[in-house]
Amino acid sequence: MQELDQTVTIGATVPTGFEHTAAEEVLEKLEATARVSKNRGRIYFDITTDKLLKVHQLKSLDNLFVVVKEYDDYQFKPTKEEMQIDWQELANKLPWTNALEVWKLNNSIKKKKGRRKRTNPTKSDQCGNVDAKSTDTVPSDPEELCEDLEALEVKGNQRDVSSQPENYSETEKHSEIQDQESGVTPLKFRVTCNRAGDKHCFASNDAARDFGGAVQEFFQWKADMTKFDVEVLLNIHNNEVVVGIALTVESLHRRNITHFGPTTLRSTLAYGMLRLCKPQVSDVIVDPMCGTGAIPLEGVMEWQNSFFLAGDNNGTAVSRSRSNIKHILKRTHGGSFSGLPLDIVQWDLCNLPMRSSSVDIIITDMPFGKRMGSKKKNWELYPLCLREMARVCKPGTGKAVLLTQDKKCFLKALSQMEGLWWKLHTVWVNVGGLHAGVFVLKRTAVVFGTTPEDVMEPHTATGSQKESMKDGSL
């Protein structure tokens, strides 16, 4: 596999606001230094191709692509007609070969995993196993990853990965990694353009069409917007242009969730929130409004020396969380329910079944008041949440990481609880197009029950709060 053991640049989309968190994970697990793009939500890092499997294991990354060429200061032409010619010339002079080799290697990984899934079907696969449907992820079991890498090394020595640019497109036509009949069958492709900036004389669709036409002419591929083999990416941010080839068809954030709810949190965002907590060995970590369990599931997969406790007042949400946990257990622990340091229960947030000062970290996605609950109810709910969280959290050392888009209501509630919580910092994120904040709080050293903030009995909800919990607004 020596001919493939080369250095390439990988680009990745990440949850907006967590670029530096993702860069930390890349440095920690790949020993590579990531560059944060000027275009928010993207990072770039250089790796050797033998680490491609490990890239798929990173928890912070949504979508992956291999970079064909980067331009830090691209000189755009002033008219659409000139740009059309420019796109055509660009497609002809780009160094496609190495990127397409990485694309082939990546597809070999996906195909091998798909074959293993089909030979051992499970009930969970038939009930909506996302990993079985999606062919762009890799096994989370390290032993399976090693087996994949060894198999690919053998294949790499047996199959041709052409190093000659002049016959590379012909090799692609006959590529064995595509499930196509033998013969000269052109690959299907599409070009996707993401453009940001107001000094361009063209729209995203114009660039995708013109550049796509040039790519089609260069490779003699067949354009197909839905059933494509290759997705060419054209990312434009002001004068920065990056051309790449997608390595994922479906976002990696779907890796652990098979049963979704109306407000299921992206796994990549959940992981970023957990990294802000810096969980330690033996920490008790609680998600009091867990929904479908995205946060605790990410936690137990990465920090197995901590203990996670999750709950929700909504019975349907708890049922979905349990189904997601069962799916993970079957995939990683052979169905043993003692395999993960995680419990999930249905409870009343206003009366958590835990002793005071017993929790190290509280981390949750709070109701925004849009898809669940209402902003009017949040004015009563948020102070009560913060008060009860303060009761169970350890004074002086406890932390909370809370996500909400209802910033005005949250900051008002926090000001009412200033004797119990300190705000350390805020990470501003994009959640489904909504501008939300991840608030990192630290529990003050004050013992609960000794400040004016906790005069109100924390175990008793008001009538409107009880009504709010009944209709599933938490």
Side-chain angles (χ1 to χ4, degrees):
M1 200 172 170
Q2 291 181 351
E3 63 267 43
L4 285 178
D5 194 7
Q6 56 186 305
T7 300
V8 295
T9 301
I10 299 295
T13 60
V14 302
T16 301
F18 280 96
E19 295 88 352
H20 291 286
T21 302
E24 289 175 4
E25 186 190 13
V26 169
L27 180 61
E28 175 186 311
K29 297 180 179 179
L30 299 181
E31 298 181 347
T33 301
R35 310 182 300 279
V36 177
S37 172
K38 298 175 184 177
N39 191 4
R40 296 191 69 196
R42 286 189 178 87
I43 64 171
Y44 299 93
F45 50 93
D46 297 330
I47 61 164
T48 52
T49 48
D50 61 318
K51 292 183 178 180
L52 186 58
L53 287 165
K54 292 183 179 180
V55 175
H56 281 271
Q57 283 187 293
L58 297 180
K59 304 295 183 65
S60 301
L61 313 184
D62 283 322
N63 292 285
L64 304 173
F65 57 94
V66 57
V67 173
V68 176
K69 183 72 174 179
E70 295 179 78
Y71 297 91
D72 293 330
D73 187 19
Y74 194 88
Q75 299 301 310
F76 292 103
K77 301 298 188 295
T79 66
K80 286 185 179 182
E81 291 74 17
E82 290 177 295
M83 279 308 306
Q84 185 174 6
I85 298 173
D86 197 51
W87 290 131
Q88 187 168 11
E89 293 177 350
L90 177 64
N92 293 337
K93 64 185 179 183
L94 287 173
W96 295 99
T97 304
N98 288 346
L100 286 169
E101 287 179 354
V102 174
W103 173 80
K104 289 182 66 177
L105 173 61
N106 189 73
N107 278 15
S108 298
I109 296 172
K110 295 190 295 183
K111 186 175 181 181
K112 186 176 188 302
K113 178 175 179 287
R115 273 202 301 268
R116 178 167 53 248
K117 286 286 184 181
R118 286 193 292 271
T119 55
N120 295 288
T122 64
K123 184 178 180 181
S124 62
D125 291 338
Q126 298 167 3
C127 296
N129 183 339
V130 172
D131 284 336
K133 293 179 180 179
S134 172
T135 59
D136 64 329
T137 57
V138 297
S140 57
D141 188 339
E143 293 183 1
E144 291 184 10
L145 291 171
C146 291
E147 292 174 3
D148 274 346
L149 186 55
E150 291 172 0
L152 285 171
E153 288 174 349
V154 173
K155 289 181 179 180
N157 292 327
Q158 294 176 346
R159 271 211 312 250
D160 66 307
V161 180
S162 176
S163 59
Q164 300 178 9
E166 59 269 21
N167 64 9
Y168 191 81
S169 60
E170 192 65 19
T171 303
E172 284 298 305
K173 294 175 184 177
H174 292 85
S175 176
E176 295 177 12
I177 60 178
Q178 299 298 322
D179 292 327
Q180 300 173 343
E181 297 180 359
S182 60
V184 181
T185 305
L187 288 175
K188 298 178 181 179
F189 86 105
R190 79 173 184 187
V191 171
T192 301
C193 178
N194 297 293
R195 185 186 63 86
D198 55 4
K199 295 183 179 180
H200 305 129
C201 64
F202 55 88
S204 299
N205 289 339
D206 297 330
R209 181 190 64 244
D210 297 337
F211 185 64
V215 171
Q216 182 177 27
E217 184 176 347
F218 181 74
F219 286 106
Q220 295 301 302
W221 288 343
K222 182 179 179 181
D224 193 319
M225 298 303 292
T226 55
K227 298 179 180 180
F228 52 88
D229 303 309
V230 185
E231 182 175 22
V232 179
L233 304 176
L234 181 61
N235 297 326
I236 304 170
H237 182 259
N238 294 325
N239 285 345
E240 180 184 77
V241 175
V242 179
V243 180
I245 297 177
L247 301 180
T248 50
V249 177
E250 186 177 68
S251 176
L252 298 177
H253 82 269
R254 299 171 65 91
R255 56 183 170 261
N256 291 332
I257 304 298
T258 55
H259 295 73
F260 291 83
T263 59
T264 297
L265 193 66
R266 295 172 73 92
S267 295
T268 45
L269 181 53
Y271 178 79
M273 292 172 63
L274 282 157
R275 281 190 73 95
L276 293 177
C277 302
K278 296 181 171 59
Q280 303 297 313
V281 174
S282 77
D283 274 356
V284 176
I285 303 173
V286 175
D287 183 352
M289 295 175 275
C290 68
T292 52
I295 292 174
L297 278 173
E298 283 298 308
V300 296
M301 297 299 287
E302 185 77 5
W303 292 277
Q304 296 194 10
N305 291 321
S306 300
F307 180 76
F308 291 82
L309 186 61
D312 202 287
N313 74 298
N314 188 300
T316 302
V318 172
S319 177
R320 287 173 177 151
S321 293
R322 288 173 176 161
S323 296
N324 287 323
I325 293 169
K326 289 178 182 178
H327 165 68
I328 293 297
L329 288 169
K330 287 180 180 179
R331 195 181 72 184
T332 60
H333 293 77
S336 171
F337 280 77
S338 60
L340 296 176
L342 167 64
D343 277 341
I344 182 167
V345 296
Q346 184 171 354
W347 59 27
D348 175 3
L349 173 64
C350 304
N351 188 11
L352 295 175
M354 288 175 280
R355 295 192 303 270
S356 298
S357 307
S358 61
V359 174
D360 296 286
I361 296 171
I362 295 175
I363 177 169
T364 197
D365 175 13
M366 301 184 75
F368 289 9
K370 290 185 177 292
R371 292 183 183 176
M372 298 292 285
S374 69
K375 290 198 172 185
K376 181 179 179 181
K377 292 176 181 177
N378 285 349
W379 286 99
E380 294 184 83
L381 178 63
Y382 278 19
L384 190 66
C385 289
L386 290 173
R387 185 179 288 109
E388 181 67 348
M389 291 175 185
R391 181 186 71 82
V392 301
C393 211
K394 292 180 179 178
T397 59
K399 291 177 285 187
V401 177
L402 310 176
L403 168 66
T404 180
Q405 186 264 343
D406 196 352
K407 301 176 285 292
K408 182 178 179 181
C409 179
F410 180 84
L411 292 174
K412 178 65 175 178
L414 187 62
S415 69
Q416 298 172 6
M417 300 290 124
E418 60 183 6
L420 299 172
W421 293 107
W422 290 334
K423 182 167 72 74
L424 298 180
H425 63 275
T426 306
V427 178
W428 299 108
V429 299
N430 185 307
V431 182
L434 299 175
H435 185 246
V438 177
F439 297 90
V440 182
L441 312 179
K442 184 174 182 180
R443 180 70 166 82
T444 66
V446 175
V447 177
F448 186 86
T450 62
T451 67
E453 288 83 355
D454 50 55
V455 170
M456 180 179 179
E457 174 57 47
H459 296 71
T460 304
T462 65
S464 61
Q465 289 161 349
K466 289 180 179 178
E467 185 67 25
S468 163
M469 290 184 291
K470 286 180 182 179
D471 64 16
S473 62
L474 296 190

